[in-house]
Amino acid sequence: MTSDTPVKSIRISGSMVTRLDVAILPRKDYTIAFKFLRHLDPSGKEIDATKWKPEDVPWILTRLNWTFGAQANIFFTSADAAWITVQKALGPKVSRDDFRKYIVPLKKDGADLTCFLVGDYDAMASEAAGQYLPDQQVCVVVDQGNPPVFDHGEAFIGVMAHEVGHFLHHKRNIPGSGHHNRNGVLLSSGMESLSLDKDVVSDLTAW
């Protein structure tokens, strides 16, 4: 049996028969770097733009690996976790132009993905609380995440996983954004969670 061979199993309970499709997925590993923004306030003083810190990375990685590792056999290791400083006042909400001009060039060379924590960000309406830039293989996530979309205290890590999902979708060279209309599943255009269904898993990894 190859590592991606589907397995059909049958569970019998009384008079009920449930057919389960099971697949053992090949493991995939990626490196991810986390960069935490410092910039200048209007008076020229250097300030932390985000409440998150490099020491939070082990918790973030644990949650990401629970989401993608446990459900799709996709795992991430840290390539870097460090503060970056832009010697400019970027304002309370980092603009899209400033992000590309001043922050994206500070991504980690050699990392599969760099995720920037910038406090607040002027994301597109369709992204709301983060964005993935496929031409740069970087993402940005706001501090508060997206509470209206993610329940159970998952607002921040949910948006992080959402943007990482876009990265994985892009790596598979599948057309489209990866968004769908199945509520309660990661990458949904409606309500989301950290759960992956079969369709999302098949989009993110080879069966």
Side-chain angles (χ1 to χ4, degrees), residues 17-29:
V17 176
T18 303
R19 296 183 180 274
L20 304 175
D21 288 332
V22 179
I24 303 172
L25 304 175
R27 175 173 171 135
K28 291 186 177 181
D29 291 275

Side-chain angles (χ1 to χ4, degrees), residues 72-118:
N73 212 17
I74 299 172
F75 291 88
F76 293 89
T77 56
S78 175
D80 194 17
W83 289 100
I84 55 169
T85 301
V86 174
Q87 294 296 324
K88 177 180 173 63
L90 300 178
K93 178 176 285 192
V94 176
S95 73
R96 293 159 59 81
D97 288 344
D98 282 348
F99 179 67
R100 278 193 174 269
K101 183 175 181 179
Y102 299 108
I103 299 175
V104 169
L106 302 176
K107 67 183 181 180
K108 174 68 173 178
D109 290 339
D112 294 312
L113 174 66
T114 298
C115 185
F116 290 99
L117 287 303
V118 301

